[in-house]
Amino acid sequence: MQIKELRLVEIKMPLVHFFETSFGRTYDRTIILVQATDSDGATGWGEVTCGESPGYSEEWTGSAWVTIEKILAPMVIGHEVASAADIAGLMTWARGNRMAKSGIETACWDLEAKRLGVPLWRHLGGVNREIGSGVSIGIQDNIPQLLEKIATEVAAGYKRIKIKISPSWDYDVLKEVRREFPEILLMADANSAYRLADLDRLKSFDEFDLMMLEQPLAHDDIVDHAKLQAAIKTPICLDEPIKSAEDARKAIELSSGRIINLKNGRVGGHTESKKVEAVCRENNIPVWCGGMLESGIGRAHNIAISTLAGYTMPGDVSASKRYWHEDIISPEVIVSENGTITAPDAPGIGFEIKHDLIKKLTIRETILS
Ligand code: OSB
Ligand code: MG
């Protein structure tokens, strides 16, 4: 495989409903799409999954754009590799910037699967065509609003409910949710809003029988998480600090948590996701696919990777209509009444790209060759 051209397209799309985490509220997404074209004219699409500001990680749309343009694209364009699995290797000299790398890398996987005429999920080594789908519900203006949202998602069939928490939206909220929904699979994601000094508070969540508590402590920590895990009953799920298979190995060795939320962008693409999945599977650590409020393209890649054997828990990959008035892929991602998504059987990501809609949403565009 030799990539001849990378086209970057930045689009802006309003969310159907704002999304609030412990680090802030988002109304609109600004998303970089990557279209990779090889020397024979075959193409594939990827998505850079960073936020509009460096709240979740250091990367953000503005930094990813220049990093791809000035640093990563020249490392990839014109370099011959045996397969898409070797694209990440071309970029290892550059540290970090994994979401930017992932935009390129996943586009190359889509391209390769399309060239081979196979669905991406199979090409990645997937085994479960039907994947379990859960939802992530942001911090709301008040508890009744949250309860209403949960009721809607439970009625739609989603397999588990994740709510975002922060020190000003936690114990009382969880208590109300549990009172109203005693049976649901429930979890909470703190996005690093607590410290070990908050141990008593975090321990108090044990009474809610949560499936897991996601990333309670610092975004770059796996040491204090190990201390916390030893002190609470609720399984800890790590998100932010796991940026590679090596990070996963170390966190498992330290017993920093019992579950990993695996995101393509956070680890640099499908090749590294496969490695993290393998390390976790060998160590009996369940993995599930996280989300970053992706457009249909990133969502399609998430569906494909979720079919790997180690992704044993319902992920945060849910229906397009929860995010977008109109998604940029066709058909849109739909979720069955049993809370499952079926990976498409068409080649590559298996969804059509809505070029006209992308054109309408475009803020800037550049072709690198
Ligand atoms: O921590 O998992 C997270 C969204 C943006 C940034 C970080 C996270 C999230 C989500 C939403 O929880 C997942 C989704 O619905 O795409
Ligand atoms: Mg998270």
Side-chain angles (χ1 to χ4, degrees):
M1 169 188 281
Q2 191 181 125
I3 298 303
K4 195 189 72 188
E5 179 186 294
L6 292 170
R7 185 159 75 98
L8 305 186
V9 186
E10 187 175 289
I11 59 169
K12 189 168 178 181
M13 291 171 93
L15 286 165
V16 166
H17 189 271
F18 67 78
F19 191 81
E20 183 171 328
T21 63
S22 62
F23 56 80
R25 195 178 265 202
T26 311
Y27 291 90
D28 302 285
R29 293 290 341 273
T30 304
I31 296 170
I32 302 172
L33 304 173
V34 181
Q35 183 181 16
T37 304
D38 74 5
S39 42
D40 299 321
T43 86
W45 287 82
E47 174 170 339
V48 178
T49 62
C50 60
E52 294 70 38
S53 54
Y56 168 83
S57 77
E58 296 89 338
E59 289 186 271
W60 60 288
T61 318
S63 74
W65 184 279
V66 289
T67 303
I68 294 177
E69 193 175 31
K70 306 272 189 251
I71 310 288
L72 302 176
M75 294 173 131
V76 171
I77 294 168
H79 293 265
E80 184 69 34
V81 288
S83 73
D86 302 314
I87 293 289
L90 293 174
M91 300 183 279
T92 43
W93 177 86
R95 288 186 180 163
N97 297 286
R98 290 178 176 84
M99 294 180 187
K101 290 174 177 174
S102 176
I104 298 173
E105 203 255 6
T106 54
C108 294
W109 272 98
D110 178 36
L111 185 161
E112 183 169 85
K114 280 179 172 137
R115 278 199 68 143
L116 296 168
V118 296
L120 177 60
W121 70 272
R122 277 196 192 281
H123 191 44
L124 287 167
V127 292
N128 304 308
R129 190 177 169 201
E130 195 163 300
I131 62 166
S133 178
V135 291
S136 174
I137 303 178
I139 293 167
Q140 304 297 315
D141 288 329
N142 52 63
I143 294 177
Q145 202 170 51
L146 175 66
L147 296 177
E148 199 186 306
K149 284 210 134 59
I150 295 175
T152 303
E153 306 299 10
V154 170
Y158 283 102
K159 286 189 182 291
R160 67 106 174 98
I161 304 291
K162 155 168 147 183
I163 67 166
K164 294 288 191 178
I165 56 167
S166 76
S168 58
W169 179 266
D170 58 5
Y171 184 86
D172 297 340
V173 176
L174 287 165
K175 199 173 178 86
E176 279 301 307
V177 172
R178 252 312 172 223
R179 176 154 52 203
E180 187 87 9
F181 303 96
E183 305 288 339
I184 59 169
L185 292 178
L186 179 67
M187 60 174 289
D189 184 359
N191 286 108
S192 307
Y194 301 86
R195 292 299 173 264
L196 214 41
D198 303 311
L199 176 60
D200 290 345
R201 183 106 190 179
L202 295 167
K203 208 173 183 162
S204 73
F205 304 160
D206 277 347
E207 74 181 74
F208 302 123
D209 190 28
L210 301 178
M211 239 185 138
M212 67 193 90
L213 174 61
E214 184 175 339
Q215 201 62 34
L217 306 180
H219 72 97
D220 54 356
D221 170 75
I222 57 170
V223 174
D224 284 356
H225 277 95
K227 293 182 191 163
L228 177 64
Q229 183 65 92
I232 65 174
K233 247 180 27 201
T234 307
I236 290 175
C237 170
L238 296 169
D239 175 354
E240 282 88 332
I242 308 302
K243 294 176 169 169
S244 64
E246 271 297 274
D247 287 347
R249 175 188 65 77
K250 290 171 189 170
I252 293 167
E253 229 168 272
L254 289 177
S255 301
S256 310
R258 300 189 189 134
I259 300 164
I260 289 179
N261 166 348
L262 183 42
K263 294 178 179 169
N264 275 335
R266 200 191 61 225
V267 304
H270 286 310
T271 305
E272 195 66 25
S273 280
K274 279 160 64 79
K275 290 182 188 164
V276 176
E277 181 263 354
V279 168
C280 291
R281 190 161 28 80
E282 284 154 19
N283 288 280
N284 295 312
I285 295 289
V287 159
W288 53 273
C289 187
M292 291 293 291
L293 311 175
E294 287 92 345
S295 81
I297 293 175
R299 202 163 293 278
H301 280 287
N302 288 343
I303 292 168
I305 196 74
S306 299
T307 63
L308 269 62
Y311 287 73
T312 54
M313 287 182 161
D316 273 350
V317 185
S318 58
S320 296
K321 68 173 183 199
R322 295 190 60 250
Y323 305 83
W324 317 116
H325 298 290
E326 185 183 359
D327 204 344
I328 59 170
I329 56 164
S330 176
E332 305 212 332
V333 173
I334 51 165
V335 173
S336 76
E337 56 198 23
N338 304 317
T340 60
I341 298 173
T342 304
D345 240 350
I349 58 173
F351 294 85
E352 295 294 324
I353 308 289
K354 290 188 187 165
H355 298 280
D356 291 346
L357 179 58
I358 290 176
K359 202 170 276 173
K360 272 190 224 152
L361 302 169
T362 297
I363 299 170
R364 56 173 166 166
E365 184 177 343
T366 187
I367 292 176
L368 310 166
S369 55

